[in-house]
Amino acid sequence: MGREYRSTAHTHSPVRSDSRITWSARAGAPGVVNTHCGHRAGGGGPHCRQLGAWTLALSYAGGGSATPALHSTPTERAPILATHVYFDFFGTLVDYDASVHPAAVNAPHEFALRHGSAIDAHRASGLWQTAWSAMDSTAEHTGRECSLHEIADRYRELAEIPPVADQELDTFVAAYLDAWTANIRLAPSAASCVDDLAADHTLSIVSNTHHAPLVPELLERFGIAGYFTDVFTSIEIGWRKPRSEIFETALSRHTITGAEAVFVGDNWAADIEGPRALGMTPFYVGPATPNRTPVRLAELPALIRATDA
């Protein structure tokens, strides 16, 4: 648990370029998360992929359980073993409320009042939603991540508040973060899952987030930071999942191919289709649908090791 982990950014980032940030597993920092989830309709079926000339399929029984079935084609090549496991964070390792309006504190309204605006709380919440939705929609369309600082400044403009110092926006962002993260909880079996997998795999996080320090801070809060070698965030890399650039950054950092990696997540487009396109083996832990049966985190270590059998 005392191992150091890194959050790595490359030159694609529109926020900072060619930077590499290292946090001690004992150091935390505030941040803000992208709350977009966006599960898409369609798709589904068992997780299947080609490992060399071996085809691995997870066939599902009732009740959401998954049973591995291995089929092989005669070949001289052995299957490639998965050495790295990449986890999505929000909705995968932690449970959270995806609403952009924390119930306890209306940070946008408090910011407006501090700067002389007469708008009421309802109006402030509406403008915050407008700013958030517009910028997040653009990021979704382009793949380029936006920062919470940018969203906060757009809200300021919509509220017709004169320009303020960056420190004032930072204070606003921190207050919003404190309220938004108050009820985030570690997902059931998350701690035991990563503890088990860390025994024979390298673990890292690949997360869409509007503020880089949030994920490391929450890893610290929940006592699981030491299990993860790296934290890759969309705001630092500049591209959000499912764009290939964010996955390629992680694979390059670890000098592996997609065939040597597993990806675990709750968003079908971002965490299943995206990694699969680069040759990773994806495991879906999101909501069940008629076409999608999720894997439980408690089942995950055994299922991942079955791909290596």
Side-chain angles (χ1 to χ4, degrees), residues 50-103:
Q50 190 76 15
L51 296 175
W54 293 67
T55 300
L56 177 71
L58 296 181
S59 58
Y60 298 117
S65 62
T67 303
L70 187 65
H71 312 285
S72 64
T73 302
T75 179
E76 295 181 356
R77 293 181 296 164
I80 299 173
L81 303 184
T83 57
H84 290 64
V85 180
Y86 297 106
F87 283 90
D88 170 56
F89 190 69
F90 296 99
T92 297
L93 291 177
V94 296
D95 293 331
Y96 74 109
D97 182 356
S99 170
V100 300
H101 304 292

Side-chain angles (χ1 to χ4, degrees), residues 61-196:
S65 62
T67 303
L70 187 65
H71 312 285
S72 64
T73 302
T75 179
E76 295 181 356
R77 293 181 296 164
I80 299 173
L81 303 184
T83 57
H84 290 64
V85 180
Y86 297 106
F87 283 90
D88 170 56
F89 190 69
F90 296 99
T92 297
L93 291 177
V94 296
D95 293 331
Y96 74 109
D97 182 356
S99 170
V100 300
H101 304 292
V105 176
N106 190 331
H109 187 228
E110 292 183 352
F111 172 78
L113 293 178
R114 284 198 305 272
H115 293 280
S117 174
I119 62 174
D120 61 19
H122 179 75
R123 176 64 174 160
S125 294
L127 292 176
W128 179 249
Q129 182 70 63
T130 298
W132 190 290
S133 297
M135 298 200 71
D136 197 62
S137 178
T138 298
E140 172 92 359
H141 177 71
T142 64
R144 285 288 192 178
E145 192 58 276
C146 58
S147 73
L148 191 73
H149 192 281
E150 292 171 313
I151 296 172
D153 198 43
R154 178 56 181 152
Y155 163 78
R156 177 196 61 75
E157 293 174 348
L158 293 174
E160 299 182 345
I161 297 170
V164 299
D166 284 347
Q167 184 177 358
E168 292 296 320
L169 287 178
D170 292 342
T171 299
F172 173 19
V173 165
Y176 177 80
L177 170 66
D178 287 344
W180 192 86
T181 61
N183 294 318
I184 292 178
R185 298 290 182 267
L186 198 62
S189 302
S192 59
C193 174
V194 299
D195 180 66
D196 190 339

Side-chain angles (χ1 to χ4, degrees), residues 158-233:
L158 293 174
E160 299 182 345
I161 297 170
V164 299
D166 284 347
Q167 184 177 358
E168 292 296 320
L169 287 178
D170 292 342
T171 299
F172 173 19
V173 165
Y176 177 80
L177 170 66
D178 287 344
W180 192 86
T181 61
N183 294 318
I184 292 178
R185 298 290 182 267
L186 198 62
S189 302
S192 59
C193 174
V194 299
D195 180 66
D196 190 339
L197 284 170
D200 51 6
H201 292 81
T202 298
L203 310 185
S204 296
I205 302 288
V206 180
S207 177
N208 284 351
T209 176
H210 292 306
H211 195 82
L214 177 63
V215 174
E217 182 193 45
L218 291 175
L219 289 171
E220 294 287 350
R221 180 193 297 184
F222 296 121
I224 59 173
Y227 292 114
F228 296 94
T229 300
D230 291 281
V231 176
F232 299 92
T233 67

Side-chain angles (χ1 to χ4, degrees), residues 271-291:
D271 302 324
I272 304 302
E273 294 174 351
R276 181 183 283 157
L278 274 76
M280 301 186 203
T281 302
F283 288 87
Y284 178 66
V285 296
T289 74
N291 296 321

